Amino acid sequence: MDTAASTDSPLPAEWLMKRNCSLSPRQAVLVYALLCTATLVIAIVFTLQGAWMVLAFALVEAAPVAPALHHYTRHALDHERVLLEGGWLLVERADGLRRQAVRLDPTHARVSLPDAGVRTLVRIEARGVQVEIGRFLTPSARLDLVRALRQALRGASLLYPGPAGSL
């Protein structure tokens, strides 16, 4: 979890939570291409010597890896981002090709963590809109996120009093 700014200044506060991936999508495709190339070169050498079944097994071996790699590359860049700026609390979520952005009123936002379970997500509610975040965080990091968001929202309620006439 990266925090871009402190809440002591009117600068935006940002929290970015990303999936922990070893390879970028481009690197994963490159590794797969290199492995397939090496496997096919070896298979072709054996095929030219009369062992044509090696080529068939090489193709059977490489084919199921492609869908798994496709799934990996679609989700390698998944992230959740929370941005407190300009009187809004913006929550963005990227999951594969789906992108979702929700704007919440920080003066009415409540941050909660229902329990400290492994799969329990951080819940942000404001004016009937509810968003759950923290899929890529450990339980202790979720607690830290809740504390940081609560502190930032306390500062936001002082900086942005909301529309005239609201309580």
Side-chain angles (χ1 to χ4, degrees), residues 76-139:
L77 301 177
D78 288 358
H79 68 276
E80 296 173 331
R81 180 174 162 237
V82 179
L83 178 66
L84 178 61
E85 179 181 43
W88 291 104
L89 181 65
L90 178 66
V91 179
E92 295 176 346
R93 292 168 48 181
D95 184 20
L97 298 177
R98 292 183 305 172
R99 303 283 188 256
Q100 178 187 22
V102 178
R103 282 186 171 207
L104 302 170
D105 182 0
T107 59
H108 291 85
R110 287 186 301 158
V111 180
S112 63
L113 189 62
D115 62 57
V118 175
R119 297 190 184 270
T120 304
L121 297 177
V122 175
R123 186 176 298 147
I124 305 173
E125 278 184 82
R127 296 186 186 255
V129 178
Q130 178 178 313
V131 181
E132 291 186 335
I133 60 171
R135 293 181 298 160
F136 310 122
L137 299 177
T138 63

Side-chain angles (χ1 to χ4, degrees), residues 21-156:
C21 291
S22 335
L23 297 174
S24 71
R26 178 177 281 166
Q27 291 170 331
V29 170
L30 181 62
V31 167
Y32 179 69
L34 290 173
L35 288 173
C36 285
T37 301
T39 302
L40 289 176
V41 166
I42 293 169
I44 289 172
V45 168
F46 278 97
T47 301
L48 293 175
Q49 293 180 1
W52 60 269
M53 287 299 288
V54 175
L55 180 60
F57 279 109
L59 294 174
V60 167
E61 175 189 57
V65 177
L69 178 72
H70 181 259
H71 178 78
Y72 174 85
T73 57
R74 284 184 69 168
H75 292 282
L77 301 177
D78 288 358
H79 68 276
E80 296 173 331
R81 180 174 162 237
V82 179
L83 178 66
L84 178 61
E85 179 181 43
W88 291 104
L89 181 65
L90 178 66
V91 179
E92 295 176 346
R93 292 168 48 181
D95 184 20
L97 298 177
R98 292 183 305 172
R99 303 283 188 256
Q100 178 187 22
V102 178
R103 282 186 171 207
L104 302 170
D105 182 0
T107 59
H108 291 85
R110 287 186 301 158
V111 180
S112 63
L113 189 62
D115 62 57
V118 175
R119 297 190 184 270
T120 304
L121 297 177
V122 175
R123 186 176 298 147
I124 305 173
E125 278 184 82
R127 296 186 186 255
V129 178
Q130 178 178 313
V131 181
E132 291 186 335
I133 60 171
R135 293 181 298 160
F136 310 122
L137 299 177
T138 63
S140 62
R142 287 185 192 132
L143 284 172
D144 294 340
L145 176 64
V146 167
R147 287 185 199 109
L149 281 172
R150 284 178 179 165
Q151 182 179 2
L153 289 173
R154 259 183 285 193

